[in-house]
Amino acid sequence: MKTKYITPAKAIHPGEILLDELEAREISEKEFAIKSGIQPNQLNEIIKGKRGITTEYADLIGKGLDMEPTIWQNLQTLYELDQTKISQTRK
């Protein structure tokens, strides 16, 4: 049986999810930058979707939020796959 993949209307950058998580925990970007060891400008770029989550960032975010880093790495991978699907349907 062949699997049918659904192309999303929009790819959600993991930075948006990170911002939601910080807001839910009532942690400011500045506080999280200090806690996680990510430079504030780099954290802001991640949150705004201008910078991807590398394995290093995934590790720092995971430790800072007491979560598995693979969650953040997987979110980045899913985002990139969704972007690819979207761009292929626009050709």
Side-chain angles (χ1 to χ4, degrees):
M1 183 172 171
K2 190 172 183 178
T3 303
K4 183 176 180 180
Y5 294 98
I6 298 172
T7 302
K10 177 186 174 197
I12 306 296
H13 191 276
E16 291 183 52
I17 298 165
L18 176 57
L19 180 59
D20 288 345
E21 190 66 29
L22 294 178
E23 288 174 351
R25 295 177 186 222
E26 298 180 350
I27 302 171
S28 72
E29 279 186 48
K30 184 176 180 179
E31 289 172 318
F32 189 67
I34 293 167
K35 182 177 182 178
S36 66
I38 300 173
Q39 293 295 316
N41 63 321
Q42 294 171 344
L43 178 61
N44 186 263
E45 288 175 354
I46 290 169
I47 287 172
K48 291 188 177 209
K50 296 179 181 180
R51 181 183 292 260
I53 295 181
T54 63
T55 53
E56 180 183 356
Y57 288 135
D59 187 52
L60 293 171
I61 293 167
K63 287 176 182 172
L65 293 174
D66 195 28
M67 297 173 73
E68 284 294 321
T70 53
I71 292 169
W72 299 99
Q73 191 66 61
N74 289 342
L75 287 170
Q76 181 67 40
T77 300
L78 291 171
Y79 169 73
E80 292 170 12
L81 287 169
D82 284 349
Q83 280 189 308
T84 300
K85 289 179 201 173
I86 291 166
S87 69
Q88 288 173 346
T89 59
R90 292 182 182 160
K91 289 182 180 179

